[in-house]
Structures are given as structure tokens and as C-alpha cells.
Amino acid sequence: MCVLLLVTFTTFSLGLNVCMSGSATSCEECLLIHPSCAWCAQEEFGRVRTMTSRCDLSQNLQKRGCEAHNIESPSSTTMVVKSEPLSSKGSGPTQYDVIQIMPQKISLSLRPGDQTSFEVQVRQVEDYPVDLYYLMDLSLSMKDDLDTIRNLGTKLADEMRKLTSNFRLGFGSFVDKNMSPFSYTATKYQDNPCNGYKLFPNCVPSFGFRHLLSLTDKVDRFNEEVQKQMVSRNRDAPEGGFDAILQAAVCKERIGWRKEAFHLLVFATDDVPHLALDGKLGGLVQPHDGECHMNEKNEYSGSTKMDYPSLALLGEKLAENNIYLIFAVTKRLYVIYKNFTALIPGTTVEILDQDSKNIIQLIVNAYNNIRSKVELTVWDQPEDLSLSFTATCQDGQPLPGLRKCADLKIGDTVSFNVSVDARGCPAPGTQQRFTIKPVGFKDRLEVSVDYRCDCGCSDWTQANSSRCSSIGQYTCGTCRCDPGYLGARCECQEGEAGSMYLSACREAEGKQICGGRGECSCNQCLCYESEFGKIYGTFCECDDFSCARHKGILCSGHGECHCGECKCHAGYIGDNCNCSTDTSSCVSDDGKICSGRGSCACGHCQCTEPGAFGDTCEKCPTCPDACGTKRECIECRLFDSGRLSDNQTCQRLCKDEIITVETLKTEDPNSVLCLYKTENECVMKFMYSEHANGMSVLTALKEPECGAAPDAMTVLLAVVGSILLVGIVLLAIWKLVITVHDRREFARFQSARCRARYEMVRRMTNLFITVIYSAFRNKDLLNKSHNKLHGLFVQ
């Protein structure tokens, strides 16, 4: 409202008075121009020559002398009719009066263009009763699954009673339409469609849908009923499961759905379903009527009479009966059924093992996932009303454009601000209603709407009033003249003209009379008709077709043209109203606007973070938090750990392709290397890159790199061994040095000894020569020499 007033004041400061430019000739016309416009019903007010001056802003009217009690300016109001407090528990003596939405009834009184708002609170109460209907595909390929669930009732009841003290279980089965080309119809197959099939020669005839057990707290009955069942065989791969879902939803009395319970419909299959128009293959041209068609045998009697239901019809009937649908399908069908969930509100999909051995955990996970979300839907919204939502979830931060909260705990309370804007006025006295309800809840908020399009002063209308020359009605300060008369007091007849009136029909001296787009009659301009639209204004200066266009559409189809300017409907802005203020398309999977890396403009993200791109700026390899964001996906997808390990959360937030390798190559300049330490002190490495097609790719090691802790005994032995080794080396060096030294000394000794022997030999040789020489000369001397030589030898 403040923004609206600011725009209005800015318009006036620029000289463009939207209230006066509309050339309103009555109070009702004035109120329709703009929610800020007011009408002065005071008898003597404004200029005599024109009536547009009675329509203006309230403060302007008062400045010009209109008394406050004569000003008509209604505003939109909200009145809470019924608002009982939210319940905290769903079981016990008050289980039939559980309240999960507040308030329960609201009355709105709306002036067109004047937006009003109210707040809705929703709470998922604890220990709420649960009805679970198990709808199983009994085609031949599900034989191993049937064997697995024969004791499902007892085990499932034990698990569900951990979540609620009031649990009921029911059972139904389906195959397909028992007609060609969907099933085997030859005579030899009528009693046994498996006739001649070597792998499994005996089975029961094909059937569309068979209700076997109404919802009951006696789970042994479930086991007994399952024990009796046998599989059947149909011809084509798709099954008739959507026929069965619709009958399970609309045949409330047969199934036994309780009004005060949480409704779960588990749909278990291993193949795709037939859709609307597939029935034409068998000559079924009658569309499904969405009604219950169960015969006395509790079988679907319309199977061979009507076509398969459409996704839109399924979604409508499931929401109408507050049923959450859980698709329990094999892995190869996950993507197909995931696409169905986008078209059917309140639907989830879980991966079923080939033999259904994980069905109990699957149901519990799906139940917890469903109870962790709250999403509002609107029923029977009038066409001339515009609604916008702002969600405030557990973090307390308002999220404009969102009507859903996720990651809640049972017992949490969330709130939604709902803004309502009427785009026009319906027929007088029209009252309309619409309903706001959380998906899958029986609780709802009923909103009644009336329109403030009439002025209070109209109640004092005087026919043939003397104020109007007795030839017109006096209402809200003006005269409505009888046919053939004109003027503020009905003082002129049509066709009269004169120079005295012409000056009143010129915007300024020298300008054309009525801007060249009308004729002057009784001091007023009568504007020409135009094939393009309406021409109006004091001097025919305005029209409703000269505004800006977008793709050839006036005001983009999201606004009204007033005197050359687009007045946008709620939720749109811009010169040609082509810019939506809805931010839901800018919300990324983590719930943030543009992933916190940009701003939302005209329903599109404008990324401001360097390196960020994508529809919601979700892609940014170079952002500081890129590795941290992708780390959670690596943890939950590869190792089923971390904050996102919940299956549904991981599937929703982590859609990137993950490639595991033995060795990580880090040479790619377009990739970012990310590392983090795991809980067991190992290091996990992965590369984050973006392909040219916009697909994010994560290349990760198959296993984290872990260094083994050193063994204490090994360390001790290594230390002792090192000490011994050093000692031995030192001893060896010492021994080597001593050996070298001794060898040198020995060599020196040997050398000295040799020299001594050499000297002795030399002396003996000299003596011997001397003796021989002397012997020849002196015999006595020879004897002496002989004795001396003998003495030397003795030495």
C-alpha cells in the first residue's frame, strides 16, 4: 500500500493526475480508476464546466473545499470470522476436532486495485491418525514381489506405530483392462492367460482393479488377504494402474477413508501406466467421468467402458479427497514417475527393489518426507482475483512468491502471508468464495469475498430533482440527465451550439476544439467513438489504446491503459507491464533467491557473483562456496552420508553427473580441484567443472586417500635397529682405521728388517771375498778369517 501511494504521489509530482485524467462522470467510475482516487459528493464543488474535478486524491479534495464526510473513498478490509487455535496432538479424545490451519474462515471486502492481505498458519500435529491403502500391481512380472509382501501387514504396522498410535491398513490390486489389445482375450486364455507360458503356466484372468480389504486396524486380515492372491498376465507392457488409483481415491466408502486421518495411497509397480487416450486402441472413446464404479464384487465395473483417466483428473481427485500418492517403482522407472509428480500435487516417488524387500522402509521414508513439507493450494479462485503468497518457514525469513515450506519437523508451525487484489467489479451484489488448503490436509481456510464498487452516497439518489432542472437524477453531487439533455444541471439539449460554449471545450487558446477528437456540446466535449477503443477526458485528450505494447499486446495483457499510461495488475510492473514480480521461478533448489548469487528481475535471475551462471545462478565453479556445496552431493550420492543423506533431499538437490575414477587428473584449466577431510581423517578429492551444455560434472576418487597409522612395535624396532646399525658402522670404521694403521707399521717394520738383513749379507760377502783373497796370500790370516766368518754365522 505504501508503494502504491508513493507511485501515486510521484505521478502527481510529474503533473499526471491519474484520478482526474480518467474523466470520471460518476462516483462508481472514479473508484474504478485507481484505489487512491476518491469522489466528492458535496453539492457545490468543483468547476461548473466539467465534472472530472470531483475525482481526485482525498487530500486534494479537502484542500479544494470538500468536507471529509462528503468524500467517498472505500478501502479493502479483512475480517476473521472463525479462528480456533491450532492443535498440538492428533490422537486421544479430541482426534475428531484436530485443527492444523488457522484461521478457518475469513471475509474480505475488496475495492478493485486496493490490495489487502491476511496470514495463514499451518502445523503438522503429532500422532495424527494414518490410513494407508496398499495398491499392488499383480501382473506376472510382480510374482516375486507378491511373495515378499505376504507378511507385510504385521511388519508395516509395527513400524508405523512408532510414528502414530492410530494406524489402519487396506489392500487392493490391479492388472489392466481385460480386452484386446491390452490383455489376452482368445478362448484358450479366458480362464488362464498363462496357458502355454513355460516359465509360469498358471495364473488368474486379467482384471482392471479389485478392492480386497477395506482399511482396518486388524493387520492379520491384510496378511490373510495377500496370502490368497495370485498374479495374472496381460499382453502389453503398460499396466492399468491409473484406473485403480482413481477408484481407490473416489470410492471413499468402499475403501474406508476416515475424514480425520492422514491418507496414504502406496502404488507399487514395475512398469509404466496407460494414460488417457490409450483406451482408443481398444475402441474406448468415452473419457473417464471421475466417479466411483465398483460392483458388488468390489471390482471396477467401468474398466471396459471408459478410457484411462488423465493426469489432470487424477490430481484433481487426489487433492479433493486429501490423498497423498506414493509411487513405489523400480529404478528404471524413477525418472518417468518423477515427471508425473510435477503434474500431480501431493505426490512422491520412491525406488522399489526388484522383489519389494525394501517396501517397509520405503513407506516410512516417504511418510516422513511428506510430513516434512507444507504446501498451500487454492481452490475455486475467482478469475478477477489475483493472489500472491509469501512463506515464512522455520528460519523466520520471508520468501516472496513461495507457498511451500520444506525440511520441517512434526509439530513445527509455519505461516504464509496471502495478498489479495481485485482487478474489477462483478455484477452488483455478487459474492464469491475460494478455499485455501494445504496439500493432503482435510483442514482448509474458507474465504468469502464481496466487492466495494458502490458509493454510499448512491443511497440518497433523487429522481427528477430540481437540482437537475427536474429532468435528471441527482446522485453523489452530480446530475444524471435524462436522454436528450446535457450540462451540469441538465440545462442544455443535445445539438445546441454557440461560441459561448466553444471556449470551454479548448484546452488552451489556439488549440483545437476537444483536441480534434470530439465535438463541443453545452460546454462539454463529446468524444468521438473509435474502433481502437475509448476516447475520454475533459478535452478528449485521453484514450485507452495509446499505451505501450509488448509483442503487439497492449500493456502486455497484464494491465489497463489509462490516458496513455499502463496501470499494471497486481504482480506486474514496467512501462508495458511485461515484468512479473513473481520470484518463484528464481528460487533455486536450496530455497534461496538466485542461489544467493544474484537478484530476481522480471522473473529471471541476474547473476551478480563473478563466475555464476544458470537459470537460478546455481552454477559457479569459481565461487568460494562451490566446493562446499558440491561436497554435500559427493557425500550423499557416493557414500550415503552427510547432511543430505535423506534420499528425497539428495535426489532433489544433487542432480549433477558424478564420475568416479581411480586417479584424479588435475590438468584441466576449466576444472576446480576440491578437497575435504572425512570423518576418519582421510582426504577426499574431486574436480568440479561445467560442460558447454550447462551440465555440471563432478569427477571424484572412488575412495578417499587414507594414510595408515604407524605401528608402535615397528617404530620401536626401527629405532633400536637404527642405533645398532650406527654402532656397527662406527665399529667398522674404527676397525678399518686400526687395520690400516697396523699394516702401515708392519710394513715399516718389514722394511727395516729387510734393510738389516741386506747389510749383514753385504758385510759377509765383503768378508768372504777378503778371506778368499787373503787365503792365497797368508794361511794364518785365512784361519783367522775363517774363525771370524764362523763367528758371524753364529751371530
Side-chain angles (χ1 to χ4, degrees), residues 5-116:
L5 289 174
L6 179 60
V7 171
T8 303
F9 286 130
T10 304
T11 301
F12 275 88
S13 67
L14 296 174
L16 301 174
N17 191 327
V18 66
C19 300
M20 297 180 68
S21 66
S23 189
T25 59
S26 68
C27 181
E28 287 76 15
E29 289 181 8
C30 178
L31 299 185
L32 286 174
I33 293 175
H34 196 273
S36 63
C37 295
W39 178 267
C40 179
Q42 191 169 295
E43 181 178 355
E44 298 297 334
F45 179 78
R47 294 170 288 174
V48 176
R49 70 177 182 87
T50 180
M51 301 171 69
T52 56
S53 59
R54 288 183 178 272
C55 186
D56 203 343
L57 292 175
S58 295
Q59 58 269 35
N60 289 351
L61 293 176
Q62 292 187 50
K63 288 179 181 178
R64 298 210 307 271
C66 187
E67 298 176 357
H69 66 276
N70 286 322
I71 295 177
E72 296 283 342
S73 182
S75 58
S76 299
T77 59
T78 300
M79 182 175 68
V80 177
V81 178
K82 182 180 180 182
S83 180
E84 297 183 5
L86 296 170
S87 303
S88 57
K89 200 169 185 181
S91 62
T94 61
Q95 64 176 334
Y96 301 106
D97 299 318
V98 173
I99 297 173
Q100 299 182 95
I101 187 171
M102 184 180 74
Q104 295 81 44
K105 288 186 180 180
I106 282 180
S107 176
L108 301 179
S109 184
L110 301 179
R111 175 181 173 178
D114 186 21
Q115 192 177 81
T116 187

Side-chain angles (χ1 to χ4, degrees), residues 233-272:
R233 184 187 182 202
N234 59 323
R235 173 173 287 176
D236 60 353
E239 320 291 7
F242 279 9
D243 271 343
I245 291 175
L246 186 61
Q247 294 303 299
V250 299
C251 299
K252 296 181 286 188
E253 290 76 15
R254 295 286 187 97
I255 304 299
W257 296 115
R258 294 176 293 176
K259 182 180 179 181
E260 66 282 352
F262 194 79
H263 302 158
L264 294 178
L265 177 58
V266 179
F267 178 79
T269 184
D270 65 348
D271 222 318
V272 296

Side-chain angles (χ1 to χ4, degrees), residues 18 96 116 185 241 263 294 312 379 439 456 474 497 502 508 527 560 597 612 619 637 644 737:
V18 66
Y96 301 106
T116 187
T185 57
H263 302 158
M294 299 282 285
W379 290 65
V439 175
Y474 179 77
L502 295 179
C527 302
E560 306 296 335
R597 299 172 181 144
K619 302 179 185 300
R637 289 271 297 277
L644 304 180
V737 171

Side-chain angles (χ1 to χ4, degrees), residues 138 146 150 171 173 212 225-231:
L138 284 188
L146 181 60
R150 294 198 184 277
F171 181 61
S173 62
L212 300 169
E225 205 59 51
V226 175
Q227 296 286 347
K228 302 175 186 176
Q229 303 309 309
M230 292 182 62
V231 294

Side-chain angles (χ1 to χ4, degrees), residues 453-731:
C453 297
D454 298 327
C455 297
C457 57
S458 299
D459 297 336
W460 307 99
T461 299
Q462 300 175 12
N464 299 321
S465 173
S466 58
R467 296 185 178 94
C468 303
S469 306
S470 299
I471 49 176
Q473 291 182 339
Y474 179 77
T475 178
C476 295
T478 63
C479 287
R480 293 182 181 176
C481 302
D482 292 345
Y485 293 90
L486 301 171
R489 301 299 179 189
C490 303
E491 69 276 16
C492 299
Q493 284 186 287
E494 289 185 3
E496 292 183 359
S499 60
M500 63 176 294
Y501 299 121
L502 295 179
S503 61
C505 295
R506 299 181 193 273
E507 188 174 4
E509 192 66 33
K511 290 289 186 73
Q512 286 183 296
I513 294 174
C514 299
R517 303 204 295 179
E519 294 180 355
C520 184
S521 177
C522 198
N523 82 354
Q524 289 186 343
C525 284
L526 300 179
C527 302
Y528 297 138
E529 292 183 358
S530 172
E531 61 181 352
F532 301 110
K534 179 183 176 183
I535 299 175
Y536 59 91
T538 305
F539 308 105
C540 301
E541 72 277 14
C542 294
D543 59 55
D544 60 2
F545 53 82
S546 296
C547 293
R549 297 172 182 265
H550 180 66
K551 295 183 179 179
I553 301 176
L554 190 68
C555 298
S556 304
H558 301 304
E560 306 296 335
C561 182
H562 288 290
C563 203
E565 183 179 0
C566 287
K567 304 302 177 186
C568 302
H569 296 157
Y572 293 91
I573 58 174
D575 293 339
N576 53 14
C577 303
N578 69 325
C579 185
S580 172
T581 59
D582 183 15
T583 60
S584 58
S585 60
C586 295
V587 178
S588 55
D589 289 336
D590 58 4
K592 297 180 180 179
I593 299 294
C594 299
S595 305
R597 299 172 181 144
S599 58
C600 187
C602 298
H604 300 282
C605 281
Q606 295 181 348
C607 305
T608 56
E609 182 80 16
F613 62 99
D615 292 340
T616 57
C617 304
E618 74 280 7
K619 302 179 185 300
C620 187
T622 59
C623 288
D625 61 342
C627 287
T629 303
K630 300 303 179 182
R631 165 190 173 175
E632 296 178 339
C633 293
I634 293 290
E635 290 178 331
C636 75
R637 289 271 297 277
L638 295 186
F639 307 110
D640 194 23
S641 63
R643 186 177 65 88
L644 304 180
S645 58
D646 169 64
N647 180 50
Q648 190 68 20
T649 305
C650 188
Q651 292 288 345
R652 177 171 58 86
L653 296 182
C654 300
K655 302 175 182 177
D656 301 332
E657 179 184 0
I658 298 180
I659 302 173
T660 56
V661 295
E662 295 289 347
T663 305
L664 204 60
K665 297 180 180 180
T666 60
E667 296 84 6
D668 187 358
N670 298 320
S671 299
V672 177
L673 176 63
C674 300
L675 305 92
Y676 69 90
K677 186 178 289 186
T678 63
E679 296 179 353
N680 54 1
E681 298 301 318
C682 297
V683 175
M684 185 62 194
K685 298 180 180 179
F686 63 93
M687 300 289 292
Y688 170 30
S689 62
E690 296 286 344
H691 278 182
N693 60 5
M695 184 71 178
S696 298
V697 179
L698 303 177
T699 305
L701 292 175
K702 286 186 177 180
E703 297 292 340
E705 295 180 350
C706 300
D711 182 68
M713 182 59 70
T714 303
V715 173
L716 178 62
L717 292 175
V719 172
V720 173
S722 299
I723 295 174
L724 291 175
L725 180 61
V726 171
I728 292 172
V729 170
L730 291 176
L731 286 174

Side-chain angles (χ1 to χ4, degrees), residues 134-372:
Y134 193 85
L135 186 57
M136 185 174 181
D137 179 0
L138 284 188
S139 59
L140 190 57
S141 58
M142 293 287 285
K143 182 181 182 303
D144 55 341
D145 301 76
L146 181 60
D147 296 335
T148 301
I149 71 163
R150 294 198 184 277
N151 294 312
L152 172 67
T154 304
K155 298 177 182 178
L156 180 58
D158 291 342
E159 289 297 322
M160 291 300 295
R161 286 190 179 117
K162 297 177 183 178
L163 306 174
T164 176
S165 61
N166 194 338
F167 175 67
R168 290 189 178 185
L169 184 62
F171 181 61
S173 62
F174 67 91
V175 182
D176 206 347
K177 295 181 183 297
N178 192 13
M179 59 186 297
S180 182
F182 312 115
S183 298
Y184 293 95
T185 57
T187 305
K188 66 176 182 177
Y189 295 125
Q190 287 183 355
D191 296 327
N192 181 14
C194 296
N195 187 6
Y197 187 65
K198 295 181 180 179
L199 295 178
F200 193 75
N202 296 304
C203 58
V204 299
S206 182
F207 57 90
F209 165 63
R210 187 174 290 160
H211 170 54
L212 300 169
L213 177 66
S214 298
L215 292 162
T216 177
D217 55 2
K218 297 178 176 59
V219 294
D220 291 340
R221 290 281 313 282
F222 181 93
N223 297 336
E224 293 171 5
E225 205 59 51
V226 175
Q227 296 286 347
K228 302 175 186 176
Q229 303 309 309
M230 292 182 62
V231 294
S232 181
R233 184 187 182 202
N234 59 323
R235 173 173 287 176
D236 60 353
E239 320 291 7
F242 279 9
D243 271 343
I245 291 175
L246 186 61
Q247 294 303 299
V250 299
C251 299
K252 296 181 286 188
E253 290 76 15
R254 295 286 187 97
I255 304 299
W257 296 115
R258 294 176 293 176
K259 182 180 179 181
E260 66 282 352
F262 194 79
H263 302 158
L264 294 178
L265 177 58
V266 179
F267 178 79
T269 184
D270 65 348
D271 222 318
V272 296
H274 275 298
L275 302 175
L277 300 182
D278 285 356
K280 288 189 175 182
L281 296 172
L284 301 178
V285 296
Q286 180 183 347
H288 205 292
D289 59 6
E291 301 296 329
C292 177
H293 297 278
M294 299 282 285
N295 59 24
E296 64 279 358
K297 295 181 181 179
N298 280 334
E299 292 186 358
Y300 174 40
S301 59
S303 181
T304 57
K305 300 176 182 178
M306 290 182 291
D307 192 8
Y308 298 95
S310 65
L311 289 171
L313 182 61
L314 272 184
E316 177 185 339
K317 294 303 177 181
L318 289 170
E320 185 179 303
N321 295 283
N322 308 317
I323 295 174
Y324 279 106
L325 176 61
I326 302 172
F327 287 126
V329 299
T330 51
K331 188 174 182 179
R332 69 182 181 88
L333 303 175
Y334 179 83
V335 174
I336 296 175
Y337 281 89
K338 185 67 175 177
N339 293 334
F340 288 158
T341 64
L343 303 173
I344 307 176
T347 306
T348 59
V349 58
E350 298 287 342
I351 296 178
L352 182 70
D353 288 347
Q354 290 293 338
D355 58 356
S356 297
K357 63 183 179 182
N358 68 328
I359 186 64
I360 293 179
Q361 190 58 46
L362 181 151
I363 293 173
V364 172
N365 290 344
Y367 173 79
N368 289 330
N369 181 47
I370 291 170
R371 294 299 304 273
S372 70

